[in-house]
Amino acid sequence: MQIVDALDEDDLLRYWGLSYGTVLGATVAAMFPDRMDKLVLDGCLNPRDYYAGNDLEEATDSDSVLDGFFAGCIAHPEACVLAQDAATAEELKAKFYRLLFKLKYEPIVAGSGESALIFNYVTVKSAVQYAMYGPTSWPLLATGLHGLMTGNETAILALAPLLNIQQETIFPNEGPEAIYGIRASDASLRSTNLTSLFPLLEQFYAKSQLMGDIVSAPALAYAQWPFKAKGAYTGNFQAKTKNPLLFVGNDFDIVTPLVSARNASAGFEGSVVLQHGGYGHTSSAQPSLCTVKAIRAYFVNGTLPAPGTRCEPSYELFSNITLEQALADIASQLE
């Protein structure tokens, strides 16, 4: 809000928050409800669970996203080479998890020399998780998984861009360690006894076959974090804002499920949840002209979509269109 003050305009905040940015948006709206102009929170975390440090909601739809990947592959065999490896989505899913289990004990090395890469349970699962953030990555993921299933080294190396290998950064506080520093300092979860966390970890594992072990790992870091953020928010998320907020939630989001958007919206009087029927993380992952028009109408003239409004993506899965092309196409239709 100091930035809003420095602008010396109307003292009102206009903000579009994505993912972690939705926690920031919900927090500032709860703290300064009378200074909210237009706030869009897209790809919502549950702010209460975020500050508690035990966000079980996060993985609610994770397995459904992966199911959509397999179903989309079978439905579009011309664009998904992985469809050669099974007749049904369920068969593909079973083969994938058998492969993943095998890689725990028999990792595969592809490439040579310093460029060689190890594909094991951790790296492949991480690549799959990374790809689930955006359907435009799915043809690449399908090629890599097909390579692992058939032993095709060239196809296996298609996974390399999805391994999310950390590059050197300009500033020392960039990267995943910064995320732990921020989220752990905000979280109230603390424990010095690992066994006391077992019930929570078991809930994470039961929540999602794909993401259970991935989303449970941060809880172990939060529990051991030695200090709390000095300015950590400890209030509630019940407020009547000067202008109502717009929440946007995907039907199939790998880490910010639709239920979190609805739970966050429930505390802000007059707010509306726009349901985006797409896959990936936030509404831009599988773009929709309908969603973009609704957000524009809200920012330009304050018009909220009617409660229960649902927008469908403008592009099918495995359509072989890049995200940049899709967004440029939608922008051209707005002119």
Side-chain angles (χ1 to χ4, degrees):
M1 296 305 296
Q2 289 177 324
I3 295 174
V4 175
D5 294 337
L7 291 174
D8 195 24
E9 296 177 341
D10 57 7
D11 294 330
L12 299 179
L13 176 65
R14 284 162 282 276
Y15 177 82
W16 189 345
L18 306 171
S19 193
Y20 167 70
T22 66
V23 174
L24 299 181
T27 303
V28 75
M31 293 176 68
F32 305 97
D34 58 335
R35 298 186 64 185
M36 298 300 104
D37 185 15
K38 309 294 190 306
L39 264 73
V40 173
L41 304 183
D42 183 349
C44 297
L45 289 162
N46 183 321
R48 301 169 189 82
D49 288 354
Y50 169 85
Y51 283 108
N54 56 356
D55 193 352
L56 289 167
E57 267 185 19
E58 199 171 350
T60 297
D61 293 330
S62 302
D63 290 348
S64 296
V65 180
L66 184 61
D67 289 345
F69 165 72
F70 294 126
C73 180
I74 294 297
H76 300 280
E78 73 288 350
C80 181
V81 67
L82 189 62
Q84 299 175 15
D85 299 315
T88 67
E90 282 301 315
E91 186 182 349
L92 263 185
K93 180 179 178 179
K95 290 190 72 170
F96 164 72
Y97 278 110
R98 286 198 297 270
L99 169 69
L100 206 55
F101 182 79
K102 183 178 181 182
L103 289 172
K104 276 188 176 182
Y105 307 99
E106 300 176 35
I108 294 173
V109 177
S112 60
E114 294 183 357
S115 62
L117 295 172
I118 298 175
F119 295 87
N120 56 27
Y121 176 89
V122 173
T123 57
V124 173
K125 198 170 192 182
S126 296
V128 173
Q129 176 206 10
Y130 187 71
M132 293 300 105
Y133 274 70
T136 53
S137 299
W138 289 9
L140 197 64
L141 175 65
T143 299
L145 292 179
H146 173 68
L148 289 169
M149 290 180 182
T150 61
N152 184 322
E153 183 174 358
T154 300
I156 291 172
L157 290 172
L159 284 176
L162 302 177
L163 295 181
N164 200 21
I165 298 171
Q166 295 299 312
Q167 305 295 324
E168 289 187 12
T169 57
I170 298 174
F171 301 105
N173 61 342
E174 291 182 305
E177 290 187 357
I179 295 175
Y180 281 112
I182 294 167
R183 295 194 62 165
S185 297
D186 281 341
S188 60
L189 178 67
R190 292 293 185 275
S191 178
T192 57
N193 184 347
L194 178 60
T195 57
S196 70
L197 296 174
F198 284 173
L200 176 61
L201 299 180
E202 288 170 358
Q203 290 181 70
F204 275 115
Y205 275 70
K207 196 77 172 179
S208 170
Q209 185 176 9
L210 175 66
M211 293 286 287
D213 50 0
I214 295 173
V215 295
S216 64
L220 297 176
Y222 304 162
Q224 301 174 78
W225 204 253
F227 51 83
K228 285 273 293 177
K230 183 177 180 180
Y233 181 66
T234 57
N236 61 35
F237 292 91
Q238 304 284 331
K240 181 178 181 179
T241 51
K242 179 178 178 64
N243 295 291
L245 313 185
L246 175 58
F247 292 83
V248 184
N250 287 11
D251 278 353
F252 304 101
D253 191 308
I254 185 73
V255 287
T256 53
L258 180 61
V259 66
S260 291
R262 288 177 171 153
N263 285 337
S265 171
F268 292 97
E269 185 176 333
S271 66
V272 170
V273 175
L274 174 63
Q275 185 173 352
H276 177 80
Y279 285 83
H281 184 41
T282 77
S283 63
S284 63
Q286 192 182 6
S288 162
L289 179 61
C290 168
T291 299
V292 170
K293 284 183 174 180
I295 293 173
R296 182 177 68 169
Y298 172 72
F299 271 124
V300 172
N301 53 41
T303 303
L304 283 167
T309 298
R310 175 190 170 93
C311 288
E312 296 298 336
S314 297
Y315 309 93
E316 291 186 350
L317 300 174
F318 290 95
S319 58
N320 281 330
I321 184 172
T322 67
L323 181 58
E324 290 76 12
Q325 290 170 335
L327 293 175
D329 183 44
I330 286 177
S332 70
Q333 297 178 62
L334 293 172
E335 296 173 356

